[in-house]
Amino acid sequence: MTAAQERVPVPEPVLQEDRLDYTPTARSVTLCRRRAVRLVSEWGYPDHAAEVALLVSELATNALLHGCMRGRLFRVHLILTATTLRIEVSDPRGERLPTLREAEGDDCYGRGLLIVARLADRWGVEPRTVGKTVFAELALRRRADTTAGPRALRTGPPHTPAAGATTPR
């Protein structure tokens, strides 16, 4: 096969992008979550705001708890293409890689990456020269095309009122 015959995947053009560094404090998790939700809504995907809020919160919290160092910032980077929203959170601790684990019933921590894995269509870790980037990607759907699909099956059973419960009007 010649070089001309090889198919090299062409990356999708970036439609919108936002990148901001945050101080490693609990308040920064709130700030980056609110910013991400606002931007995703402004970019035309308000139906994804709840997913984005949770993904940014989990990834930023993990960076804060496991990846930050005194005097070093962490970065939240949102990248929108025609089909995907990618959320990246970078921190300076490349030697501390995230892993999925099963938390015990009474554990206060340990469920963040399970939530990310459940919500995201794809997630992973990429090394950096200094540190690492943990990312989550969402396949985008606008309001008109949010019919049931593979992701609808991942959200669990629909809520049904308990027997005898009334529905508010």
Side-chain angles (χ1 to χ4, degrees), residues 126-163:
E126 297 172 343
R128 298 174 43 129
T129 303
V130 174
K132 67 182 174 300
T133 296
V134 183
F135 69 87
E137 293 180 352
L138 290 174
L140 295 175
R141 304 169 314 279
R142 290 200 184 260
R143 185 178 300 269
D145 60 350
T146 56
T147 57
R151 298 208 45 225
L153 299 175
R154 301 165 85 187
T155 61
H159 174 72
T160 54

Side-chain angles (χ1 to χ4, degrees), residues 55 115-123 135-138 151 154:
L55 289 169
I115 293 168
V116 170
R118 179 99 178 181
L119 282 178
D121 292 294
R122 190 169 89 93
W123 77 276
F135 69 87
E137 293 180 352
L138 290 174
R151 298 208 45 225
R154 301 165 85 187

Side-chain angles (χ1 to χ4, degrees), residues 23-29 56-70 72 74 89-93 95-98 101 108-113 132:
T23 57
T25 63
R27 173 89 173 120
S28 292
V29 175
V56 168
S57 290
E58 293 300 335
L59 295 178
T61 299
N62 280 351
L64 182 65
L65 294 176
H66 307 294
C68 286
M69 303 169 84
R70 186 180 198 69
R72 301 293 302 271
F74 71 93
V89 177
S90 301
D91 66 59
R93 301 287 302 268
E95 76 280 5
R96 298 190 75 181
L97 298 177
R101 70 179 186 91
C108 293
Y109 300 98
R111 294 172 182 81
L113 281 180
K132 67 182 174 300

